[in-house]
């Protein structure tokens, strides 16, 4: 016995089931004394939320149109700009090595000051 059903009636029935699940979950949690009953109400609310998500999925898919958004996000690129200290005639690898050496010497001086028994001279 197959009865034809209108898509509008089907969506209304889905929405009614979601509303019934939410109301039942809220009532169960509201009147429950034990934690097990409250957990059962949470299961009702979770199932109703999943039903609402299933109901809203076609609308969200049409409105957000992820097929057009995702390729645009994937084509974003970061283009670094050279810093003000790197001139045209100066090699970037040389400047990078000098920066690493100065950082290492600063770290080694700090470690020497922190060693037990050594005196911090304060020569900075």
């Amino acid at each position: 016995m197959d009865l034809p059903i209108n898509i509008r009636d089907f969506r209304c029935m889905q929405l009614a089931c979601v509303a019934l699940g939410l109301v039942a979950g809220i009532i169960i949690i509201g009147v429950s004394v034990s934690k097990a009953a409250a957990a059962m109400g949470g299961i009702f609310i979770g199932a109703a939320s999943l039903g609402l998500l299933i109901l809203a999925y076609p609308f969200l898919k049409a409105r957000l149109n992820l097929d057009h958004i995702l390729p645009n996000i994937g084509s974003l690129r970061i283009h670094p700009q050279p810093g003000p200290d790197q001139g045209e005639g100066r090699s970037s690898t040389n400047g990078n090595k000098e920066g690493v050496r100065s950082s290492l010497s600063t770290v080694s001086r700090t470690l020497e000051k922190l060693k037990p028994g050594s005196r911090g001279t304060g020569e900075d």
Side-chain angles (χ1 to χ4, degrees):
M1 185 171 146
D2 293 333
L3 295 175
I5 187 168
N6 189 356
I7 190 68
R8 185 175 177 184
D9 294 339
F10 180 70
R11 295 291 181 196
C12 288
M13 188 172 59
Q14 275 183 325
L15 190 60
C17 289
V18 166
L20 183 65
L22 284 174
V23 169
I26 290 170
I27 289 173
I28 290 172
I29 288 175
V31 299
S32 66
V33 177
S34 69
K35 291 180 183 176
M40 195 64 198
I43 291 173
F44 269 85
I45 291 176
S49 300
L50 181 63
L52 187 63
L53 183 65
I54 291 170
L55 180 69
Y57 175 73
F59 173 76
L60 293 174
K61 184 179 178 188
R63 292 302 262 174
L64 296 177
N65 204 355
L66 294 177
D67 295 334
H68 294 297
I69 293 173
L70 290 178
N72 290 335
I73 291 174
S75 67
L76 293 177
R77 299 285 183 256
I78 298 173
H79 302 288
Q81 300 294 327
D85 61 342
Q86 290 182 348
E88 307 252 344
R90 189 171 159 190
S91 169
S92 63
T93 56
N94 242 357
N96 196 13
K97 288 179 184 176
E98 291 171 8
V100 169
R101 284 187 189 129
S102 69
S103 297
L104 287 175
S105 64
T106 305
V107 169
S108 61
R109 280 194 312 251
T110 305
L111 288 175
E112 287 295 324
K113 289 180 185 177
L114 294 176
K115 280 186 181 176
S118 67
R119 294 184 292 169
T121 59
E123 299 174 355
D124 279 339

